[in-house]
Amino acid sequence: MTAKGIYLGVASNLLGNALMLGATLWLTRLISPVEFGEFRVGANFSTLMIPFLALGGERLISRLIQKGDLAGVSRTVRMVMTIALVGVAVLLLAYPVLARYAFAGTVGFPVFALGVLLVPLTICYNLANTIWRHTGSPAHAQIHLNFYQRLLRAPLLIGFAWLYPTAVSASAAMFIAQGASLMQLWKHVRGVLCGGSELAKTSGSARSILAEMVMIGLPVALLAAVDRVDVLIINAVMGVKTAGEYDLVYMLALTAMFPAMAMSKTSEPMLLSLANDTGRQGQVRSLQKRTLLLSCAALIGIAVISPFIPMVLGVAGPDFPAAVIVLSAGLALSSACGPVLEYMQINGRARIALILAMTLMCVFVWMKWLAASAGSLVSFAFLGGLFYFALRLSLTVYVYLVDRVLLANPYMLAVSIVLYCLIAALVVGG
């Protein structure tokens, strides 16, 4: 793990996100707000399903590679892909029920089917990229994940929408782009399957592997589900057009979390047994400082450009800038806590993270429903950022009290809390 790895991860993420943001802005000019809302609601549902069907396979593979367990890696890959394919079949059969209760009749079957079929392709790609990151070049794996995928996706999205301006064409473009990205990395999955096929027969039982995947994967799935459930809540309460608008709010705000995402990826190989190595603890805190500074820089950039976005965006309302800023603040300043969730999962503390994530998620879903019912997009966005901040802060305190491992600089953490309270008071309070 190096600062260079984080900088490359952040830079590639920023470039990739800028590329997709530009493509999305163009897309809102090519298709109607209703078609755009249908496309984004369908895409968010498929993204919501990915971590629940992957079940922590990436994190488990990361741990097994660090332990040199090739047989375990091979068996985990097979297990994850089997679960993903079975899950996709179940989802396709469940469309009539989902169309009525999850989508409020706003997503047609073609858009739904293309989104669901995208799930196993994305899961397999993520597994391949994880293997590459640990056995090959972490920097190149980051760049491919963050930039090259989007470099392929953006022109396909615009081209398909230009030829046939509907939600179906946009969904088809995403499916084709993900399939092409997977083919570029397929050799990493194939190599693991071939190399560990014989050993996998004698590795741990399928039940034990599945149990470990569930414990690791559910907290990750719940965190990933939060913003996707948000779009479904807004779709049900405030309508499909507003759902499309909030999805763009989150897409732009997520830029502020890219440094923390890059750090979590590059720091995974150093988090195992971190409590026994004070030198590595210092390295993690040093990188966390750089991560927070980059996050703050991204937050400032978002605050500068967000007022101008509605001028070129076909689906943005008057609350768009304030919603982006308050959500970005929660995502950016939560990076002061360091890679705490990854530490919990890699060091066998996934159960605690799961219980806390589920408890907070239930509380925040209830509060977000009330905010959506009141028609307040800004309050809804504030609650979205507060969830991440509260969860990571709670886990940071827990790790320090139990393991005496301080992943965050205390002074920077205190400053982040104060700054977040001030931004929330100014934006939400009017």
Side-chain angles (χ1 to χ4, degrees):
M1 180 183 65
T2 63
K4 180 181 178 182
I6 291 181
Y7 294 147
L8 285 174
V10 173
S12 60
N13 233 333
L14 288 173
L15 288 174
N17 192 63
L19 186 64
M20 283 306 299
L21 181 61
T24 303
L25 295 177
W26 196 350
L27 183 66
T28 62
R29 297 292 182 178
L30 293 175
I31 64 178
S32 69
V34 173
E35 292 283 348
F36 180 79
E38 180 185 358
F39 163 60
R40 291 313 306 162
V41 171
N44 270 274
F45 179 79
S46 64
T47 306
L48 169 64
M49 290 296 104
I50 289 171
F52 284 100
L53 295 180
L55 281 179
E58 295 174 52
R59 295 279 164 77
L60 180 56
I61 286 174
S62 174
R63 181 194 297 177
L64 293 172
I65 290 177
Q66 292 180 63
K67 292 182 176 180
D69 186 358
L70 181 59
V73 173
S74 178
R75 187 150 192 171
T76 300
V77 170
R78 295 174 188 274
M79 177 71 73
V80 172
M81 293 313 303
T82 299
I83 294 172
L85 293 174
V86 172
V88 165
V90 172
L91 288 173
L92 290 173
L93 293 174
Y95 171 73
V97 177
L98 293 171
R100 180 176 180 181
Y101 296 104
F103 305 132
T106 60
V107 179
F109 182 74
V111 172
F112 172 80
L114 285 168
V116 168
L117 292 174
L118 182 69
V119 170
L121 296 181
T122 305
I123 290 175
C124 191
Y125 173 87
N126 290 339
L127 296 178
N129 192 273
T130 299
I131 296 168
W132 185 16
R133 191 168 64 248
H134 284 80
T135 61
S137 170
H140 290 158
Q142 281 267 60
I143 293 171
H144 196 283
L145 176 67
N146 297 330
F147 180 70
Y148 286 144
Q149 275 200 112
R150 293 163 178 169
L151 185 62
L152 178 62
R153 190 180 300 164
L156 284 174
L157 188 62
I158 295 304
F160 274 53
W162 180 71
L163 292 172
Y164 188 57
T166 65
V168 176
S169 65
S171 300
M174 298 291 280
F175 176 81
I176 294 172
Q178 189 61 64
S181 296
L182 173 60
M183 292 304 298
Q184 293 174 343
L185 269 62
W186 174 247
K187 62 181 180 180
H188 298 287
V189 173
R190 183 179 59 195
V192 166
L193 292 177
C194 295
S197 59
E198 292 300 321
L199 293 173
K201 297 176 182 178
T202 59
S203 64
S205 67
R207 181 177 297 180
S208 64
I209 293 175
L210 180 60
E212 193 167 8
M213 285 170 54
V214 169
M215 290 309 304
I216 294 174
L218 276 183
V220 178
L222 289 174
L223 282 179
V226 171
D227 58 284
R228 309 304 170 180
V229 171
D230 288 351
V231 173
L232 296 179
I233 291 174
I234 291 182
N235 179 59
V237 179
M238 302 178 71
V240 69
K241 293 182 181 179
T242 309
E245 178 183 0
Y246 183 78
D247 186 69
L248 288 175
V249 167
Y250 183 81
M251 181 184 295
L252 183 57
L254 190 62
T255 305
M257 204 175 183
F258 283 165
M261 294 165 64
M263 182 184 183
S264 69
K265 293 291 185 184
T266 54
S267 66
E268 283 180 4
M270 292 193 67
L271 297 179
L272 185 64
S273 301
L274 186 62
N276 301 323
D277 192 330
T278 55
R280 276 191 291 148
Q281 291 182 38
Q283 287 182 324
V284 171
R285 285 195 295 271
S286 176
L287 289 170
Q288 180 270 332
K289 292 179 186 178
R290 296 185 177 95
T291 300
L292 179 60
L293 292 175
L294 288 171
S295 297
C296 290
L299 178 59
I300 294 172
I302 289 171
V304 171
I305 68 171
S306 59
F308 302 99
I309 296 294
M311 299 178 185
V312 296
L313 195 62
V315 297
D319 292 335
F320 187 92
V324 169
I325 292 173
V326 75
L327 178 56
S328 300
L331 298 181
L333 297 175
S334 68
S335 66
C337 299
V340 60
L341 182 62
E342 293 74 19
Y343 173 88
M344 295 283 287
Q345 293 165 339
I346 289 176
N347 289 279
R349 307 281 179 135
R351 188 185 300 273
I352 301 298
L354 172 61
I355 293 173
L356 182 58
M358 290 182 65
T359 302
L360 285 177
M361 185 175 180
C362 291
V363 173
F364 274 84
V365 165
W366 172 69
M367 291 193 295
K368 288 174 184 177
W369 189 279
L370 294 179
S373 300
S376 177
L377 191 66
V378 176
S379 296
F380 195 99
F382 164 68
L383 292 172
L386 181 60
F387 171 83
Y388 285 98
F389 198 95
L391 176 62
R392 291 186 176 274
L393 181 60
S394 300
L395 291 176
T396 299
V397 173
Y398 173 85
V399 169
Y400 178 71
L401 293 177
V402 175
D403 292 344
R404 293 298 172 183
V405 173
L406 192 60
L407 296 172
N409 181 285
Y411 300 106
M412 298 189 75
L413 185 59
V415 170
S416 297
I417 294 173
V418 173
L419 183 59
Y420 181 50
C421 291
L422 288 174
I423 294 174
L426 288 173
V427 176
V428 180

